[in-house]
Each structure stands twice: as structure tokens, then as C-alpha cells.
């Protein structure tokens, strides 16, 4: 007999990390299939590529973008660009379902009225990592960031305001959404090398969407 009919399921709950940061476990589960189809359509127009950092290192994360602005890196620096440098064309549009999900997650975390103009799509395969960094290329750092994890699980590194501050390890699974704003907005963070594995809908791959108000 099920006595927990009205209890929240174990897969969907809010997990505060610190002031301004929360993981909404399973928040995107119902939208995952639609998101994956939309990501295929984005990658058909703007293929994943491995950008070069200003220091000359090629990133192990494969990246593409959707929306009015896309995050790019090259020897000249990091910036948001309305045009895909590979094709010379605008980035694919942000699907209304994407905008809705990002706005709903931000509101759930206490940030009302979030309307992103950039969606960075990060692709990880086993061994791919993202080294410790801050997100500070956006014009208004008062705006939060919404991140959606799909596919293979990853270990997120959640640091402090100083690069050398101790980091917490936060597991992120398929369907988890993280929201960062306010006092957490400039915390250092990264992703440990992805472990090999197989995900039923994404295979040997993890995809992370980050929604930002960049311009
Ligand atoms: C914590 N991506 O694209 S986003 C990035 O899984 C990035 O691909 C990660 O970091 C990924 O820049 C995770 C999660 C995130 C984004 C912004 C933050 C965490 C944050 C800002 C402050 C603190
Ligand atoms: Fe980041």
C-alpha cells in the first residue's frame, strides 16, 4: 500500500547550496525529450565546436549557442556575439519552450522576470572537463544563470569568491536544474572530468544548457 501519494517524489526537490544558489532536482525531467530534439535542431544549424581560449588551449567541452547572443572564445578573448563566427549567420533562435523553462526555474529560485537572451550548449563526453572559472562576461551580473543538465551525470565543483577557496562537489543528474544569482553569481565553479557511462537517451554524452541575460 502506498502511504506517500501526496509526498513530493524523491526525484523532484529544491536543494539549496548557499545564499543565491539552488539545485532544483528533476525540474526539467518532463521537458527533457523536447529539449533534446531542440538541441539536435540547434546543432544542425550551428555545429558543436571546440573553442580556443585566449591562452591558446583548445577546450575539451564542445560548444554551440542559441538565442540573440552566443558565448564565444578565441585568441582575442571571451565575448558574446550575435553571429556564429563559423558560419557568419545569427545563432539559431531560442525555442519558446526553452524560455519558459528558464523563466519558471528562475522564478522557483526566487528570481522573477528572468528573460534570457543567450543559451550556451555545452557537450561533454567521457574525459571532458571544465576548469575552475567565474562567469563574468555578462553585462548585468544582477541577473541569475539557469543551468539544465541532460544525459550522463557529472560532478560539479562549487567554490567560493576566491579561486583558492575550498570547493564542494555537487552531483548533477539528467533533468536537474541549477540556478545561481545574487551573492552566488560570481562564485568559482567547474566540472570534473566526465566518467564513462551510458545514458538511455543521450548515450555516452552529457549536455548542459546555460541560460543567461548577456546583453
Ligand atoms: C555557479 N557550465 O558554461 S553551469 C559554463 O555544466 C558552466 O557545463 C557548467 O559553468 C556545465 O560557464 C555548469 C552551472 C553554473 C553556472 C554559473 C554559475 C554554476 C555557477 C555562477 C556562479 C556559481
Ligand atoms: Fe560557468
Amino acid at each position: 500500500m502506498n502511504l506517500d501519494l501526496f509526498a513530493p517524489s524523491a526525484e523532484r526537490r529544491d536543494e539549496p547550496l548557499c545564499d543565491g544558489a539552488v539545485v532544483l532536482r528533476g525540474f526539467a525531467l518532463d521537458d527533457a525529450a523536447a529539449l533534446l530534439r531542440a538541441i539536435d535542431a540547434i546543432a544542425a544549424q550551428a555545429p558543436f565546436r571546440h573553442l580556443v581560449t585566449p591562452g591558446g588551449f583548445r577546450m575539451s567541452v564542445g560548444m554551440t549557442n542559441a538565442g540573440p547572443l552566443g558565448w564565444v572564445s578565441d585568441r582575442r578573448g571571451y565575448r558574446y556575439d550575435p553571429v556564429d563566427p563559423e558560419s557568419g549567420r545569427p545563432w539559431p533562435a531560442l525555442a519558446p519552450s526553452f524560455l519558459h523553462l528558464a523563466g519558471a526555474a528562475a522564478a522557483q529560485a526566487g528570481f522573477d522576470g528572468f528573460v534570457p537572451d543567450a543559451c550556451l550548449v555545452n557537450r561533454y563526453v567521457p574525459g571532458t572537463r571544465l576548469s575552475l572559472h567565474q562567469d563574468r562576461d555578462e553585462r548585468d551580473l544582477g541577473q541569475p544563470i539557469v543551468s539544465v543538465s541532460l544525459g550522463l551525470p557529472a560532478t560539479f565543483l562549487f567554490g567560493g569568491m576566491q579561486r583558492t577557496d575550498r570547493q564542494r562537489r555537487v552531483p548533477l543528474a539528467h533533468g536537474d536544474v541549477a540556478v545561481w544569482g545574487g551573492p552566488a553569481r560570481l562564485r568559482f565553479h567547474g566540472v570534473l572530468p566526465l566518467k564513462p557511462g551510458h545514458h538511455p537517451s543521450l548515450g555516452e554524452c552529457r549536455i548542459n544548457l546555460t541560460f543567461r541575460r548577456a546583453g
Side-chain angles (χ1 to χ4, degrees):
M1 181 160 70
N2 184 355
L3 300 175
D4 284 326
L5 281 174
F6 300 99
S9 86
E11 291 83 38
R12 288 160 217 257
R13 69 201 145 76
D14 298 358
E15 197 173 299
L17 289 181
C18 68
D19 199 11
V22 63
V23 181
L24 311 174
R25 296 285 178 203
F27 191 89
L29 277 177
D30 292 341
D31 296 302
L35 289 172
L36 291 175
R37 279 193 301 275
I39 292 163
D40 279 343
I42 293 166
Q45 289 178 252
F48 286 101
R49 76 287 310 259
H50 296 271
L51 297 169
V52 174
T53 65
F57 297 99
R58 196 161 286 278
M59 298 181 70
S60 66
V61 179
M63 293 181 169
T64 186
N65 292 277
L69 291 172
W71 187 86
V72 293
S73 173
D74 60 20
R75 290 305 300 242
R76 290 179 293 153
Y78 309 124
R79 67 189 165 277
Y80 283 94
D81 199 319
V83 163
D84 177 354
E86 289 287 310
S87 68
R89 286 182 278 115
W91 300 102
L94 259 176
S97 57
F98 275 45
L99 285 174
H100 181 262
L101 175 69
Q108 170 87 4
F111 302 98
D112 282 322
F114 178 57
V115 182
D117 59 10
C119 175
L120 173 62
V121 187
N122 289 337
R123 186 181 64 187
Y124 297 74
V125 295
T128 300
R129 63 193 290 267
L130 188 61
S131 49
L132 208 64
H133 67 279
Q134 291 172 300
D135 289 14
R136 54 185 320 151
D137 302 322
E138 300 74 31
R139 190 187 301 274
D140 178 5
L141 297 176
Q143 294 278 339
I145 294 178
V146 172
S147 125
V148 180
S149 290
L150 298 167
L152 285 177
T155 302
F156 183 70
L157 287 178
F158 187 54
M161 299 298 292
Q162 243 61 56
R163 181 177 288 280
T164 51
D165 286 348
R166 190 184 166 84
Q167 299 135 29
R168 282 169 63 184
R169 286 161 152 72
V170 181
L172 290 178
H174 181 71
D176 289 349
V177 176
V179 184
W180 329 83
R185 182 62 176 73
L186 284 176
R187 282 193 180 240
F188 279 88
H189 59 277
V191 180
L192 287 183
L194 196 76
K195 289 193 184 135
H198 182 91
H199 186 272
S201 41
L202 262 162
E204 338 293 284
C205 172
R206 168 179 189 255
I207 289 194
N208 182 267
L209 305 172
T210 50
F211 294 94
R212 302 186 172 94
R213 183 93 205 165

